[in-house]
Amino acid sequence: KMLRRVLCTVLFMGALPPLAEASQGHISVVLLGATGDLAKKYLWQGLFQLYMDQVSSGYSFTFHGAALTAVEPGQRLMFDVLKKLACPPDESPNRCAVLKDQFLKLSQYHQLKTAENYTVLNREIETLLHQEGLKEAGRIFYFSVPPFAYTEIAHHINSSCRPPPGAWLRVVLEKPFGHDLESAQQLAAELSGFFREEEMYRVDHYLGKQAVAHILPFRHQNRRFLDPIWNRHHVERVEIVLKETVDAKGRISFYEQYGVIRDVLQNHLTEALMFLTMELPDNVSRAEEVLQCKLKAFQSLQGLEKKSVVLGQYQAYTSQVQEELQKAQDYISTTPTFAGVLIHSDNPRWEGVPLLLTSGKALDERVGYVRVLFKNRAYCPQRETLRDAGHSQCKAKQIIFYIGHGALNTPAVLVSRNLFRPVMPKDTWREAVGQSDLHIFGQPLSDYYMYSPVKERDAYSVLISNIYHGRKDFFITTENLLASWAFWTPLLSSISHLPLRLYPGGVENQHLLDFEMMSGEVAFTLAEPLELLNPSRLMPNDYRTIQSKFRQNPLVSAWSEDLISQLASDIEKTASRTVVQTGQFHLALSGGSSPVVLFQQLARHHYAFPWKDTHIWLVDERCVPLADTESNFFTLHKHLLQRVRVPYFNIHPMPVHLNQRLCVEEDRGTELYAKEIMALVANASFDLVLLGMGTDGHTASLFPHSETGLEGAQTVVLTESPVKPHQRMSLSLPLINKARKVFVLVLGKGKHDITTLLSRVGHEPRKWPISGVSPSSGQLVWYVDYEALLG
């Protein structure tokens, strides 16, 4: 019997305990895509390493390579790879030769193309186990195939190739797991129809990198040192970087669909960021505890905007796309090959700390690292050459998880000597004596405590071992995956047509890709003109002269970013003048999506704004709890109030939630708000009211043909919206028209039709409530971007 002969031979060579002990069960490993690039480079070597590590564990193995290729050529291709497998340097030549010979004998090739092929494979596994008298422990199916094939393969495994009850199933999935939130949700839903969550192991091979895998254990083991300093008061910034010297040549068909953010930042670098910023669970080895802490860390991340990122593309990329994808000579790719992204967290531990993620192809060096740089508040009178690395507080303080390559060319953990001597597990990490002439981030290696792995292991070998042991904390769960895509997808949607910084590649890049952080945004430091790769719109000076009036009132128009900047400046000027005149400024703000960018602009760039003398009011509110994400107050708080210093008693949310009920007339919420306005706002005349405009001509929460709020004596009213949530509270049109100034913000091509219509109609508030905005003794100014104005 084949399997028993293999076991006996290995036993004879001293690799196994007595055969009676080798009866814990049998594991079948099926590698789908067994002749592909990933299998050739990493997976077969990882499976061979697993066999070498576990041959004495008491389990027996068979390895089944599978692909669409017919049996004879597929078997030849597969065994060409297996013959090149290597043992680690510390393995004795004799044992290596025996184990490799046995691994080859335990491996066989299958064509898996049809449902019948899977049935035959299942029958062969069952027959083998019956003949050998072995109990089945479990099966591993490794999907080294494109994601479009996942569903069909999953159906076949679930239908005819599952192990019997009592044995486990582990299905290993390779990225990409979708290209945005919607596609990831769809793929996850399809797979959940065939496999349980505990059966799926989504691979991010960076979690197998020894330095990345040690971030959580390091934080846990060094808790007493890190607890006082692992926070915004002590950390200056975090950098997570993966630089590559190679370009995308040979992978263009994949890269053109995904680009650098989807390929590296959304997965590898984001996972490292989570390990750094999540709160530590009680048990860092419990997958469920780690997951819950990661999900909370995701929830605390602030949303990304276009100004959170800088993008580049190496100059040869477009010609490579034209060549590999047979595109026309005038085809211009807008796929980024370089990205620098600035992330912020609302978590009290990390609030205000810049979290930088950077990756790119065709850069000057190949290196990956996670770097935590600490603030330095010390001043040292003695000259630098006299400073002792272990005691001088003037030397830089940092912790670096060095992923590999670069100057060190090995995974490592480095801690500045003027921080602390870290606790490291001696069985897996050893203190390294660095080369005296080597410098890392401007400091000689002698300035660091440096540790490297006792035994350096390939990431896939680590992950395959964890699959065998059922260690789910090294893999991406469905919740984790969707949380990451939910964070990244809005940015990906917004940057699809952003201009890219072209760079030559390699050392010739010089300072072209240097970027800096200012006021929560990033920009390239070199302010040279950027080439717009795919001009998709005319510039303002290409248009006819735009009238400076709209509906007989002043009009300000520009591209949206410039318009928001101008509007924010005008609001600040109005506020400053009003505070000088009256001592306080009453500002009423509308809800909706348009003001969000304005709120962010005010928070990030207007430090002279007189917030301490400003009262913030709501123009309208949805009848939901204020902590609900649908709430206008929630949006206002998230993007403005929590970032500026408005006194607590100067913030006036609408009272939509009273007596544990929402917008019930008997609770008299409208009367309460009206009385508050009368008590605090002179003559109930707001200094400035900011409005928006809906595609149906509504403003505030005053909708066409509203029964209340368009006229009459009521100042605050309940209204009905045609879209959910239907119930609203709103300032009335007569109250809005008492304001000293009213600014109306209109953004986007979707508002072009209503803007055009409104330019032609008169005062008809029952049809178009916005047309009824006409301050009785104040000023009305329209802020309309080019897309809304000109289409």
Side-chain angles (χ1 to χ4, degrees):
K1 295 177 181 180
M2 181 272 291
L3 186 56
R4 186 162 291 270
R5 285 201 303 273
V6 169
L7 291 172
C8 288
T9 307
V10 179
L11 170 64
F12 178 74
M13 294 299 297
L16 278 178
L19 198 59
E21 295 178 25
S23 58
Q24 293 190 41
H26 182 78
I27 297 170
S28 304
V29 181
V30 182
L31 175 55
L32 298 135
T35 57
D37 284 343
L38 186 64
K40 291 176 185 175
K41 288 180 181 177
Y42 302 110
L43 301 184
W44 279 117
Q45 185 64 49
L47 291 173
F48 180 43
Q49 184 66 54
L50 174 70
Y51 182 65
M52 287 188 286
D53 292 343
Q54 301 302 327
V55 70
S56 303
S57 67
Y59 288 99
S60 59
F61 294 85
T62 47
F63 299 90
H64 305 265
L68 299 175
T69 311
V71 172
E72 191 174 323
Q75 188 164 295
R76 187 167 57 251
L77 285 169
M78 188 182 95
F79 277 91
D80 284 345
V81 176
L82 298 190
K83 288 170 187 174
K84 296 174 184 175
L85 295 175
C87 292
D90 57 353
E91 192 67 74
S92 73
N94 285 347
R95 186 171 187 271
C96 176
V98 170
L99 290 176
K100 184 175 176 180
D101 180 59
Q102 303 312 321
F103 183 78
L104 265 64
K105 288 178 180 176
L106 293 170
S107 302
Q108 50 189 304
Y109 178 83
H110 305 263
Q111 183 184 35
L112 290 184
K113 198 172 185 179
T114 66
E116 178 60 25
N117 294 148
Y118 285 85
T119 303
V120 169
L121 171 62
N122 185 61
R123 192 181 305 130
E124 287 184 15
I125 292 172
E126 289 177 344
T127 302
L128 174 67
L129 294 173
H130 179 71
Q131 289 175 349
E132 303 294 347
L134 289 169
K135 178 185 175 183
E136 185 159 17
R139 297 181 190 181
I140 296 172
F141 285 87
Y142 200 118
F143 285 40
S144 180
V145 296
F148 66 76
Y150 282 5
T151 304
E152 183 182 354
I153 294 171
H155 171 71
H156 291 319
I157 292 172
N158 190 54
S159 298
S160 56
C161 226
R162 271 188 172 274
W168 46 256
L169 171 67
R170 291 173 191 156
V171 176
V172 189
L173 306 165
E174 277 284 346
K175 78 176 185 76
F177 311 117
H179 61 272
D180 58 15
L181 178 59
E182 184 180 358
S183 59
Q185 287 172 326
Q186 182 180 346
L187 181 58
E190 289 169 356
L191 290 171
S192 68
F194 304 111
F195 307 125
R196 298 190 300 274
E197 180 66 33
E198 62 267 23
E199 294 176 329
M200 290 186 282
Y201 289 69
R202 289 184 186 83
V203 169
D204 182 332
H205 77 274
Y206 254 61
L207 301 190
K209 300 279 187 182
Q210 286 168 290
V212 176
H214 196 62
I215 294 174
L216 275 187
F218 177 90
R219 288 182 57 196
H220 177 71
Q221 291 155 6
N222 291 279
R223 222 167 182 159
R224 68 188 180 96
F225 301 120
L226 291 174
D227 273 354
I229 62 172
W230 201 254
N231 56 62
R232 61 192 169 97
H233 301 297
H234 295 271
V235 176
E236 181 176 313
R237 69 181 181 190
V238 170
E239 300 170 2
I240 304 176
V241 175
L242 173 60
K243 294 167 62 179
E244 298 182 86
T245 53
V246 298
D247 59 18
K249 195 171 184 178
R251 291 185 71 218
I252 293 292
S253 60
F254 166 83
Y255 211 83
E256 183 65 359
Q257 292 181 67
Y258 288 89
V260 66
I261 293 179
R262 289 180 172 93
D263 186 35
V264 177
L265 277 78
Q266 178 271 327
N267 37 69
H268 304 330
L269 303 195
T270 300
E271 287 302 309
L273 177 66
M274 292 298 100
F275 283 161
L276 275 184
T277 59
M278 63 184 265
E279 292 301 305
L280 275 180
D282 292 333
N283 187 342
V284 295
S285 299
R286 283 184 58 84
E288 184 56 35
E289 289 187 36
V290 171
L291 171 63
Q292 292 308 314
C293 290
K294 283 171 78 174
L295 293 176
K296 287 179 183 176
F298 270 118
Q299 290 164 6
S300 70
L301 297 180
Q302 293 178 17
L304 296 173
E305 305 150 35
K306 286 188 280 190
K307 290 185 178 180
S308 304
V309 61
V310 289
L311 300 171
Q313 184 189 87
Y314 64 82
Q315 287 172 348
Y317 181 77
T318 284
S319 62
Q320 291 173 349
V321 173
Q322 293 168 354
E323 179 185 342
E324 291 192 30
L325 302 185
Q326 299 180 338
K327 297 284 187 180
Q329 286 301 304
D330 60 351
Y331 176 82
I332 301 293
S333 171
T334 56
T335 300
T337 61
F338 170 85
V341 179
L342 174 61
I343 297 173
H344 281 99
S345 172
D346 289 331
N347 181 305
R349 182 185 294 278
W350 296 106
E351 187 177 5
V353 178
L355 310 169
L356 282 170
L357 273 58
T358 304
S359 185
K361 289 191 172 293
L363 300 182
D364 62 306
E365 64 174 336
R366 184 185 184 191
V367 68
Y369 60 83
V370 177
R371 181 187 182 211
V372 182
L373 180 65
F374 291 87
K375 296 176 181 177
N376 200 323
R377 298 184 177 90
Y379 171 76
C380 303
Q382 74 269 56
R383 64 181 183 269
E384 192 172 344
T385 53
L386 297 177
R387 295 174 190 168
D388 172 36
H391 297 95
S392 174
Q393 292 303 303
C394 282
K395 292 223 172 197
K397 302 174 183 180
Q398 49 197 329
I399 297 173
I400 303 159
F401 299 93
Y402 203 87
I403 298 168
H405 304 291
L408 292 181
N409 201 31
T410 182
V413 176
L414 299 99
V415 179
S416 294
R417 289 181 178 270
N418 56 2
L419 273 175
F420 58 87
R421 177 186 280 276
V423 176
M424 296 290 282
K426 293 181 180 178
D427 56 332
T428 52
W429 292 83
R430 63 182 169 213
E431 189 165 3
V433 179
Q435 303 170 32
S436 56
D437 59 337
L438 216 54
H439 283 66
I440 300 293
F441 298 111
Q443 289 181 266
L445 277 186
S446 57
D447 281 6
Y448 300 96
Y449 295 112
M450 175 178 161
Y451 298 82
S452 58
V454 171
K455 187 175 184 180
E456 195 170 332
R457 298 195 64 171
D458 168 71
Y460 278 98
S461 295
V462 173
L463 291 174
I464 287 171
S465 174
N466 287 321
I467 294 162
Y468 164 79
H469 286 105
R471 287 283 306 274
K472 288 278 291 187
D473 49 318
F474 281 83
F475 299 89
I476 309 300
T477 66
T478 301
E479 283 184 286
N480 189 160
L481 173 69
L482 298 182
S484 181
W485 275 122
F487 174 67
W488 285 101
T489 296
L491 176 71
L492 290 165
S493 302
S494 70
I495 62 173
S496 54
H497 297 295
L498 275 189
L500 306 175
R501 168 71 56 96
L502 292 178
Y503 58 97
V507 294
E508 293 180 29
N509 295 335
Q510 297 185 27
H511 300 295
L512 267 177
L513 298 178
D514 293 355
F515 61 92
E516 60 187 350
M517 302 169 288
M518 291 184 66
S519 303
E521 299 172 357
V522 286
F524 287 114
T525 54
L526 288 183
E528 63 181 21
L530 302 183
E531 180 180 352
L532 187 62
L533 294 180
N534 189 15
S536 59
R537 62 187 187 187
L538 297 171
M539 298 308 287
N541 56 8
D542 293 319
Y543 288 115
R544 59 177 170 77
T545 302
I546 297 170
Q547 296 297 317
S548 59
K549 295 277 187 179
F550 183 78
R551 293 178 58 81
Q552 289 79 54
N553 290 288
L555 168 68
V556 180
S557 193
W559 290 117
S560 59
E561 289 183 12
D562 296 331
L563 184 71
I564 291 296
S565 179
Q566 183 62 53
L567 175 56
S569 295
D570 291 349
I571 293 174
E572 182 182 335
K573 287 174 188 173
T574 302
S576 298
R577 289 195 198 107
T578 305
V579 168
V580 169
Q581 293 167 2
T582 68
Q584 55 187 359
F585 176 60
H586 288 275
L587 173 63
L589 297 170
S590 286
S593 56
S594 294
V596 168
V597 284
L598 172 66
F599 298 160
Q600 293 166 341
Q601 181 81 11
L602 287 168
R604 292 176 177 174
H605 299 283
H606 292 265
Y607 299 107
F609 199 105
W611 292 114
K612 69 182 180 66
D613 300 309
T614 298
H615 284 257
I616 302 288
W617 301 83
L618 272 288
V619 169
D620 63 325
E621 181 58 280
R622 298 167 179 180
C623 292
V624 295
L626 297 185
D628 192 301
T629 54
E630 293 278 336
S631 162
N632 290 340
F633 182 79
F634 179 90
T635 303
L636 175 64
H637 182 267
K638 178 179 180 181
H639 296 287
L640 179 64
L641 296 181
Q642 68 176 358
R643 305 178 196 285
V644 296
R645 294 185 176 179
V646 180
Y648 175 81
F649 293 107
N650 287 13
I651 299 171
H652 309 280
M654 282 186 157
V656 293
H657 198 181
L658 297 171
N659 302 320
Q660 299 181 338
R661 304 188 295 186
L662 291 166
C663 293
V664 175
E665 284 194 32
E666 290 82 355
D667 293 331
R668 298 186 175 182
T670 55
E671 289 182 33
L672 287 172
Y673 208 55
K675 286 178 181 177
E676 191 174 3
I677 293 169
M678 289 298 295
L680 296 174
V681 182
N683 302 316
S685 297
F686 290 106
D687 297 307
L688 175 59
V689 173
L690 176 72
L691 298 176
M693 178 175 71
T695 55
D696 60 353
H698 84 263
T699 190
S701 281
L702 303 172
F703 299 92
H705 310 291
S706 283
E707 295 181 5
T708 57
L710 297 178
E711 56 190 10
Q714 265 191 292
T715 53
V716 185
V717 296
L718 292 178
T719 66
E720 289 284 328
S721 164
V723 297
K724 291 182 178 180
H726 296 299
Q727 277 192 300
R728 309 288 176 94
M729 186 178 289
S730 179
L731 302 185
S732 68
L733 198 55
L735 180 62
I736 290 170
N737 283 333
K738 289 182 71 174
R740 296 169 67 186
K741 281 192 179 183
V742 177
F743 291 170
V744 182
L745 175 62
V746 186
L747 298 177
K749 195 173 290 186
K751 304 287 178 67
H752 175 61
D753 289 346
I754 186 62
T755 303
T756 304
L757 174 65
L758 202 64
S759 68
R760 299 169 182 160
V761 303
H763 180 87
E764 298 186 62
R766 291 205 65 77
K767 286 186 179 179
W768 303 285
I770 189 68
S771 71
V773 176
S774 179
S776 53
S777 57
Q779 183 188 29
L780 171 62
V781 183
W782 292 83
Y783 292 80
V784 187
D785 76 347
Y786 289 134
E787 290 190 330
L789 192 65
L790 303 169

